[in-house]
Amino acid sequence: MDFKSILKKASFDFFFKAMQSVQSVIFFMNSYLAFPFRMNKMFLILLLLFSFESTVFAQANDADFLRSTGMIYCVIAVIAVVIIGLALYLMRLEKKINKLEKKYNNG
Amino acid sequence: MDRIKKHWWKILSIVLMLYTLIVGMGTPLKPGILEVYPYNAQAGTQLRLKVKGYNSNYDQNETTAWLKIDSSYYIQSRFCASITYDVMTAVFDIPEYLPSKDSIVQVNLIVSNDEDKGSILPSAVFIKQNAIDSLKGLAPWSRSNTLEEVYTMEEFRFPYRNVIYETVRNTFYHVALWFAMFILLIISLVYNVGYLRSPSLELDTKAYAFTAVAILYGILGLITGSIWAKFAWGAFWTTDVKLNMTAVAMLIYFAYLVLRSSIPDLDRRAKLSAVYSIFAFFALIALVFIIPRMTDSLHPGNGGNPAFGGEDLDNTLRMVFYPSIIGFTLLGIWIASLKIRISNVADKLQSQE
């Protein structure tokens, strides 16, 4: 098996596992929505983040897979964490602005 | 035009981040050797070594391989036959005696062709010799400190390093984050010293905003470093001295946040947090730069080694690493400036009430 076919199989595997995790998230949500439980945005994002990480690290056990792609998914996970972290911080700032706006409009 | 003049550094930060992403992810690694089989050989026999390369082109070029002992004695392969573009067989006639006094000698493998240039796998094969005669062993092995036929590749490609492979790119996203954090902390240090010289709440707000963004970068640096450690060192958290000392430093900065939120009086809060964060900054320098150099560390540039350089940061990596630091720093300044404006508006609204 040459490199390109391994890569093709690997990307298919990754996509498949990602779809699986999305399905499991939907299942998880359904099972929790039955309870009187208020799901906010943060929780949803954390859940999605968690599912993404689990798909990335599910690959970590497969040493051959990682070797074949030279551990490029580690770099992708790192970039994803940086972007998600910055986005979460900006969302916090936005919340502060929303509060100020409310104050300004009311007062 | 006025807008561009006013916001040029924000545009620059976005351009630099894009440059870091595109060039940092798009540039291929130099060719390297992933692994060989078998790992063991007997002196005086023929060794058929199966070599698996990375980013290599064995099929279109005539490849030569060498086995090298102690960086000065080497033998050339009898011939190399490519199987695919990244797999080939190298055949060596290993002499009966090795130029060494040990019965088991570890040998480096060097592979070179016109397109890939030279690549090396350290400790590729262990050769066992039954009888030891290092004088007889000298004759069949050529002696030279450098192989004249082997050059390093001069294309713009990142260095291939065993164990970390593609994750050498994390230099631009993990290491640059820490450098940017230090620049942000130095900016906040300047504001803190300025506050102590002539107290004004404006300076305190600025110092706090920059420290907060620096702490965000620190947390992101710890998480990204932990992911990288899982892939390169095998565990999310190791007992590496730099990891633990950085965690301690981050706790000191968390205490800064707690300190600020626990004092209601504005002037007292400003004065105390200015003094505390100056102390925290110097504690951080001691914990992150000094202590890891005194013992062994898995991080490059620590454990007595004076610098972060050589193969860990060569000129091609520098071309992306420095822009990445500037990009992350400008992005941090941008976020901090937003934070400063928000708290200024909040203060104004509060004083109107």
Side-chain angles (χ1 to χ4, degrees):
Chain A
M1 201 151 54
D2 70 341
F3 181 73
K4 272 173 193 161
S5 65
I6 288 175
L7 201 66
K8 219 182 242 174
K9 187 180 170 298
S11 56
F12 177 76
D13 267 14
F14 187 74
F15 179 73
F16 182 72
K17 282 194 177 160
M19 287 309 289
Q20 252 184 349
S21 76
V22 166
Q23 276 177 351
S24 69
V25 166
I26 291 168
F27 178 77
F28 195 65
M29 274 163 59
N30 283 340
S31 59
Y32 267 98
L33 281 175
F35 294 98
F37 180 76
R38 203 173 126 259
M39 189 181 294
N40 56 12
K41 257 188 226 163
M42 272 302 273
F43 180 72
L44 200 70
I45 286 164
L46 279 178
L47 211 62
L48 280 172
L49 182 69
F50 181 72
S51 69
F52 173 73
E53 275 190 19
S54 67
T55 50
V56 170
F57 295 122
Q59 311 284 4
N61 302 326
D62 196 350
D64 288 338
F65 167 78
L66 278 175
R67 283 235 163 146
S68 68
T69 55
M71 304 205 287
I72 193 73
Y73 281 112
C74 170
V75 187
I76 289 169
V78 163
I79 293 172
V81 164
V82 171
I83 290 173
I84 290 168
L86 287 175
L88 285 179
Y89 196 77
L90 288 176
M91 276 164 69
R92 259 191 64 190
L93 275 187
E94 200 189 340
K95 237 182 209 171
K96 265 184 198 166
I97 294 175
N98 287 342
K99 248 187 212 166
L100 284 181
E101 265 179 347
K102 237 184 208 169
K103 222 179 187 179
Y104 183 75
N105 290 335
N106 293 345
Chain B
M1 275 313 283
D2 277 358
R3 268 199 163 179
I4 294 177
K5 258 183 197 164
K6 205 177 165 191
H7 300 292
W8 64 272
W9 56 277
K10 297 175 188 172
I11 299 167
L12 181 67
S13 84
I14 295 299
V15 168
L16 287 178
M17 298 300 285
L18 278 177
Y19 169 82
T20 315
L21 266 182
I22 295 167
V23 180
M25 291 303 282
T27 310
L29 296 188
K30 282 176 183 155
I33 307 166
L34 261 183
E35 53 188 353
V36 296
Y37 187 82
Y39 322 112
N40 305 311
Q42 178 73 41
T45 60
Q46 195 182 58
L47 170 66
R48 300 178 72 85
L49 203 60
K50 207 169 183 184
V51 181
K52 180 137 171 61
Y54 190 82
N55 284 356
S56 49
N57 300 287
Y58 297 144
D59 52 347
Q60 283 150 18
N61 302 280
E62 199 170 313
T63 311
T64 321
W66 292 269
L67 288 180
K68 202 166 185 188
I69 296 179
D70 291 345
S71 76
S72 53
Y73 299 100
Y74 62 89
I75 48 165
Q76 198 176 328
S77 62
R78 181 196 271 254
F79 67 89
C80 292
S82 69
I83 298 168
T84 61
Y85 67 94
D86 64 344
V87 179
M88 70 163 190
T89 310
V91 178
F92 295 93
D93 291 324
I94 302 175
E96 197 138 356
Y97 297 99
L98 305 178
S100 168
K101 282 174 182 147
D102 303 320
S103 63
I104 294 176
V105 183
Q106 51 176 328
V107 180
N108 307 330
L109 176 73
I110 297 169
V111 167
S112 172
N113 63 34
D114 285 344
E115 197 177 343
D116 300 338
K117 309 298 180 197
S119 43
I120 181 165
L121 181 67
S123 317
V125 187
F126 291 85
I127 300 179
K128 194 180 171 207
Q129 53 179 350
N130 289 335
I132 298 170
D133 192 336
S134 53
L135 280 180
K136 263 190 199 167
L138 283 177
W141 293 75
S142 317
R143 183 167 188 183
S144 153
N145 285 325
T146 50
L147 282 170
E148 276 161 21
E149 300 91 331
V150 179
Y151 305 94
T152 49
M153 192 182 232
E154 307 228 322
E155 268 178 57
F156 184 76
R157 282 179 169 215
F158 297 141
Y160 173 89
R161 310 268 283 132
N162 285 300
V163 181
I164 61 172
Y165 312 117
E166 297 276 0
T167 61
V168 73
R169 298 170 204 278
N170 277 350
T171 315
F172 320 132
Y173 313 111
H174 165 75
V175 187
L177 214 55
W178 288 108
F179 277 66
M181 184 192 93
F182 268 98
I183 296 171
L184 292 176
L185 282 178
I186 287 168
I187 294 172
S188 93
L189 180 78
V190 170
Y191 283 127
N192 276 323
V193 172
Y195 176 85
L196 290 180
R197 283 167 67 93
S198 57
S200 76
L201 283 179
E202 210 176 306
L203 286 175
D204 174 60
T205 314
K206 284 179 177 170
Y208 170 62
F210 279 103
T211 313
V213 178
I215 291 172
L216 169 74
Y217 276 18
I219 296 167
L220 289 179
L222 279 184
I223 299 172
T224 54
S226 165
I227 295 170
W228 194 4
K230 175 69 186 168
F231 282 77
W233 301 337
F236 283 113
W237 197 268
T238 63
T239 52
D240 183 60
V241 67
K242 197 153 194 168
L243 285 185
N244 290 326
M245 291 302 134
T246 312
V248 170
M250 289 315 294
L251 285 180
I252 291 174
Y253 271 98
F254 290 156
Y256 168 82
L257 295 180
V258 175
L259 179 81
R260 271 192 80 89
S261 59
S262 63
I263 305 172
D265 182 47
L266 288 180
D267 289 314
R268 258 175 72 96
R269 180 175 81 182
K271 198 179 266 176
L272 265 177
S273 62
V275 172
Y276 181 88
S277 72
I278 290 171
F279 273 110
F281 182 77
F282 289 106
L284 180 74
I285 286 182
L287 288 168
V288 176
F289 288 127
I290 298 171
I291 293 175
R293 288 226 174 152
M294 292 160 73
T295 54
D296 276 339
S297 172
L298 290 165
H299 278 88
N302 290 295
N305 291 331
F308 173 54
E311 283 263 280
D312 293 316
L313 186 68
D314 76 343
N315 284 333
T316 54
L317 290 175
R318 280 198 179 93
M319 295 271 285
V320 188
F321 180 58
Y322 294 145
S324 171
I325 295 172
I326 299 169
F328 271 119
T329 309
L330 290 178
L331 200 71
I333 295 173
W334 191 355
I335 298 173
S337 74
L338 288 182
K339 226 173 139 56
I340 292 163
R341 280 162 66 185
I342 289 170
S343 60
N344 281 344
V345 171
D347 287 350
K348 240 176 213 169
L349 277 177
Q350 197 124 44
S351 62
Q352 274 174 9
E353 276 172 6

